Amino acid sequence: MDRIDAMRAFVTVVSEGSFTRAADRLELSPQLVSKYVSQLEHHLGTRLLNRTTRKIHLTEAGARYHQRAQQVLNDIDDMENQLGDLQGEARGRLRISAPVSFAIRHMAPLLAEFQAAHPAVGIDLQLNDRKVDIVEEGFDIALRIGHLKSSSLIARRIAPVRLVMCAAPAYLARHGPPRQPEDLRDHRYLRYSYMDPEAGQPVFRWLQSQGGSRDSELVSNNGDVLVEAAIAGAGIAIQPTFIAGEAIRDGKLRILLPDHEPEPLALYAVYAHRQLLASKVRSFIDFLDGYFGDPPYWDRFD
């Protein structure tokens, strides 16, 4: 028995839902596919599939084996793709999902330079602040900002993302600047609805417990809107410096309580494991690495 062929037959039967469809996909006879799966079960000493005349069902052992087998086969495919891509030019359409404000402010020059270096790659950039499912929605890469949580996806850290609390000089002249986190409860908070406040961050705790009615607060899912509202004197915003940095540098906003800044986030490039070594994806990831500088150019205002 060729174990890899048997493993691929088993995984294909599971994904296709029948031996006949798996045989068509693998361009083998149904009898040979069934033989491969039976040999694999015999080798492992356990039943992987329960078969009926109409359906197949994974056993508990089969479900566990399927997950690991799929990973092994993906690794093999990636390794072989890498060897082929070493001599190949990056080409094809690259579908990218990116946060709205970050992309509008910082991605146009990057994409122009990348395509100048890789003219055979087309770019389809979709802007969305929600967390897209890159596999289900057909993206090659998603740029995400936050604290990376464990998942089946692969991620490359691209740049740090500093969060600052800021307000306009005119607002601070009217209400007085906060001297300590407890003072924030007396101020109006311009809240970003997608931000996940850390329980251990005092500034979030005090801003969320502000004394005014929550009915009168300003909430938005777009950071640019909140920064512009802060510039207009509407209240205090907590926003990344890639949005607020220009206004801070121009004196339109002032950083508050710098000793109590929220924990920095990071910009990540996230992609599915099966696409790890596709030439267009690898080229873009490599191009991103170090592009924004360390520290990023948007932080050079202090």
Side-chain angles (χ1 to χ4, degrees):
M1 176 188 67
D2 185 304
R3 197 178 305 176
I4 299 300
D5 287 343
M7 189 182 297
R8 197 176 296 278
F10 165 69
V11 167
T12 307
V13 167
V14 173
S15 64
E16 294 295 325
S18 80
F19 284 85
T20 301
R21 288 196 294 270
D24 289 341
R25 180 174 167 185
L26 295 171
E27 298 182 347
L28 300 172
S29 69
Q31 294 79 11
L32 184 55
V33 172
S34 180
K35 179 181 177 181
Y36 275 144
V37 175
S38 295
Q39 288 178 335
L40 185 61
E41 290 177 323
H42 179 75
H43 171 74
L44 296 171
T46 187
R47 181 175 290 277
L48 301 175
L49 297 171
N50 286 322
R51 305 161 177 83
T52 67
T53 55
R54 292 191 174 186
K55 282 190 173 185
I56 61 169
H57 301 277
L58 281 169
T59 64
E60 182 180 359
R64 292 186 180 183
Y65 185 79
H66 175 263
Q67 182 179 14
R68 299 298 297 273
Q70 183 68 72
Q71 185 69 55
V72 169
L73 293 173
N74 284 340
D75 287 341
I76 292 172
D77 291 342
D78 284 342
M79 177 179 62
E80 293 177 350
N81 288 338
Q82 180 187 32
L83 295 177
D85 284 346
L86 285 176
Q87 303 301 322
E89 178 187 12
R91 62 176 58 254
R93 187 177 69 155
L94 185 67
R95 294 199 73 224
I96 304 169
S97 171
V100 177
S101 294
F102 181 83
I104 290 173
R105 288 172 173 267
H106 303 289
M107 286 195 67
L110 180 151
L111 295 178
E113 292 178 33
F114 175 76
Q115 287 194 294
H118 302 279
V121 178
I123 300 292
D124 179 2
L125 175 66
Q126 300 293 320
L127 307 189
N128 203 316
D129 285 334
R130 68 177 176 84
K131 186 178 179 181
V132 300
D133 185 322
I134 66 174
V135 176
E136 289 295 325
E137 299 180 49
F139 287 103
D140 296 299
I141 297 172
L143 297 184
R144 290 181 181 165
I145 295 169
H147 297 296
L148 196 65
K149 298 178 181 178
S150 60
S151 74
S152 60
L153 302 175
I154 309 301
R156 173 84 69 87
R157 187 177 184 275
I158 302 301
V161 173
R162 179 184 174 190
L163 293 174
V164 294
M165 184 163 38
C166 52
Y171 173 87
L172 297 173
R174 289 196 308 271
H175 300 279
R179 305 295 181 186
Q180 55 191 356
E182 290 85 346
D183 297 339
L184 294 172
R185 62 187 171 188
D186 299 322
H187 287 271
R188 190 165 189 245
Y189 178 30
L190 311 177
R191 182 162 62 89
Y192 180 58
S193 57
Y194 286 155
M195 188 171 289
D196 181 20
E198 297 289 342
Q201 297 284 350
V203 291
F204 282 113
R205 185 169 66 249
W206 287 109
L207 281 168
Q208 295 284 7
S209 63
Q210 57 188 325
S213 169
R214 294 184 68 85
D215 292 338
S216 64
E217 69 179 354
L218 174 58
V219 182
S220 176
N221 65 352
N222 181 267
D224 275 293
V225 169
L226 297 176
V227 166
E228 290 300 320
I231 292 171
I236 293 176
I238 296 180
Q239 284 295 308
T241 50
F242 67 73
I243 298 177
E246 182 178 353
I248 294 169
R249 186 167 50 248
D250 293 343
K252 297 178 181 179
L253 292 175
R254 283 175 46 193
I255 294 177
L256 309 175
L257 300 177
D259 293 337
H260 298 277
E261 277 188 14
E263 181 182 349
L265 307 177
L267 172 69
Y268 294 93
V270 181
Y271 44 102
H273 187 276
R274 63 180 174 81
Q275 299 170 320
L276 174 61
L277 297 174
S279 182
K280 61 183 180 180
V281 176
R282 188 182 67 246
S283 296
F284 188 71
I285 297 298
D286 290 343
F287 194 86
L288 278 173
D289 191 22
Y291 179 87
F292 298 111
D294 188 12
Y297 61 80
W298 54 74
D299 275 343
R300 298 168 194 164
F301 53 78
D302 287 342

